[in-house]
Amino acid sequence: MKGSFCLKSTFDRRQLLLCLVPLLLALCLIFVVTKQNQITVHKNAVILRQGPGLTYAPVKQETTETVRIIGQSNSWYKLRIGDHQIAWAPAWRLKNQTKFGAHNALSEATIVVDAGHGGSDSGAEYHDNSNNPKYMEKTYTLALAKRVANKLRAQGARVIMTRDNDQFVDLKPRPKMAEEAKADVFISFHYDSSPQANEGSGVTTYYYHRGASRELAQIVNRQFSALPLKNLGINFGDFLVIRENTQPAILCEMGYINTKKDFHQIKTVRYQNQVANEVVTGLNQFCQNRAGK
């Protein structure tokens, strides 16, 4: 009898273990999944907002907050703070809180950078030398766009380029990229050309829609007064990439490529870096103005 009792006890323990193991595994899985969706937010690096965009008002937050990711929209994470409060933050910023230092307006912004022309569409040319890419507008719009994109990323911005190599991109998909990304800014780079060589000179910033786009043009163009080429100011421009764009959008003509004096600047790394710095300064100011307070 005593042996039978021992066997029964051993059997009961095994049954109990068989029942507990799945439960323990399930609890461990829930714990792991919960921890995976949790993240610590540092107030000096990320501002939590009431909606998925920098124009939404901030949410009151502590110096550090442990939040849970419960959704996503427009590359912004939907977060739960505590049991009831909902907040939003840019997904790319949450993943790199220590990389970029203190929060700034650009670190919450999505910027679409458009290098004009590309591929079979060479754009305007210096001395009309179509056999040499170094004289083509498409070459310098891409060089400038890449420099701007790199400097924006260094500030923590989410950057989308309409092209990042010498490829043809039709006009209509370009503003569509900004639409789909709910971009805070669309900025297109080009170089002007006059009917006769050496007739025109200077930089011009174009907008199509009034309101945010015109404000964007004013703020960015203001920075161009420090450039070695004359600042011709802002103007209305009926260009498809800014006309068919409901996001704040401008097109910048950064000099006349078929004017010797302008091309001497356009082709230099120094000029490209100077333009890129001024553009980033202007975009940061625009985003600061647009940010929910």
Side-chain angles (χ1 to χ4, degrees):
M1 294 293 293
K2 184 176 180 181
S4 298
F5 177 77
C6 290
L7 287 171
K8 186 175 186 301
S9 298
T10 302
F11 178 78
D12 288 344
R13 284 197 295 271
R14 286 177 179 174
Q15 288 291 96
L16 180 61
L17 286 172
L18 288 173
C19 292
L20 287 176
V21 167
L23 178 61
L24 289 171
L25 288 174
L27 289 173
C28 288
L29 182 61
I30 291 171
F31 176 79
V32 170
V33 170
T34 300
K35 286 296 182 183
Q36 284 180 336
N37 288 336
Q38 284 186 344
I39 191 167
T40 300
V41 178
H42 301 274
K43 185 178 180 180
N44 67 329
V46 180
I47 300 297
L48 302 181
R49 296 194 178 276
Q50 295 178 10
L54 68 82
T55 58
Y56 288 90
V59 170
K60 185 178 180 181
Q61 61 190 101
E62 302 297 329
T63 303
T64 59
E65 294 272 12
T66 299
V67 300
R68 182 176 299 172
I69 300 170
I70 60 174
Q72 186 170 350
S73 177
N74 301 333
S75 293
W76 281 61
Y77 281 146
K78 187 177 183 180
L79 310 171
R80 186 181 297 280
I81 307 174
D83 293 331
H84 303 292
Q85 191 174 14
I86 299 297
W88 294 80
W92 67 91
R93 191 66 172 115
L94 283 181
K95 295 173 183 176
N96 294 287
Q97 293 183 54
T98 59
K99 181 177 179 181
F100 302 108
H103 162 270
N104 63 72
L106 282 176
S107 69
E108 295 183 275
T110 295
I111 313 290
V112 174
V113 179
D114 176 42
H117 308 285
S120 59
D121 176 14
S122 62
E125 297 171 0
Y126 179 72
H127 285 173
D128 195 27
N129 192 340
S130 58
N131 294 321
N132 194 332
K134 77 177 186 179
Y135 295 117
M136 297 178 181
E137 181 182 359
K138 67 174 184 177
T139 300
Y140 296 102
T141 59
L142 181 59
L144 177 57
K146 284 183 174 181
R147 293 184 190 281
V148 171
N150 288 338
K151 291 178 185 295
L152 287 171
R153 290 185 179 118
Q155 294 294 316
R158 175 188 175 217
V159 178
I160 299 170
M161 296 188 70
T162 60
R163 67 180 183 97
D164 57 9
N165 55 47
D166 185 17
Q167 67 182 94
F168 175 78
V169 180
D170 203 0
L171 290 178
K172 287 190 176 181
R174 299 183 191 226
K176 189 176 181 181
M177 292 182 193
E179 301 284 335
E180 292 177 347
K182 302 297 181 186
D184 297 287
V185 169
F186 174 96
I187 182 166
S188 182
F189 292 108
H190 287 259
Y191 291 97
D192 234 325
S193 180
S194 55
Q196 297 295 324
N198 301 311
E199 280 187 341
S201 180
V203 300
T204 309
T205 307
Y206 292 96
Y207 68 93
Y208 182 85
H209 299 285
R210 290 187 176 273
S213 292
R214 192 172 190 276
E215 178 190 355
L216 173 62
Q218 289 173 325
I219 291 173
V220 171
N221 182 264
R222 197 175 299 139
Q223 303 301 318
F224 294 159
S225 295
L227 296 178
L229 298 182
K230 184 179 180 180
N231 187 355
L232 302 176
I234 71 169
N235 208 338
F236 171 83
D238 190 6
F239 302 108
L240 185 146
V241 294
I242 56 176
R243 182 182 70 240
E244 297 187 11
N245 209 323
T246 60
Q247 308 307 115
I250 58 174
L251 186 148
C252 301
E253 298 275 9
M254 299 311 304
Y256 279 74
I257 199 168
N258 69 339
T259 293
K260 186 176 182 179
K261 177 181 68 174
D262 286 23
F263 186 68
H264 177 73
Q265 296 293 337
I266 291 168
K267 67 181 181 180
T268 65
V269 172
R270 180 182 178 184
Y271 180 74
Q272 293 166 20
N273 276 329
Q274 188 176 358
V275 172
N277 288 333
E278 301 300 348
V279 166
V280 171
T281 299
L283 293 183
N284 186 46
Q285 182 61 60
F286 175 76
C287 290
Q288 285 179 353
N289 293 352
R290 296 271 289 171
K293 305 303 182 183

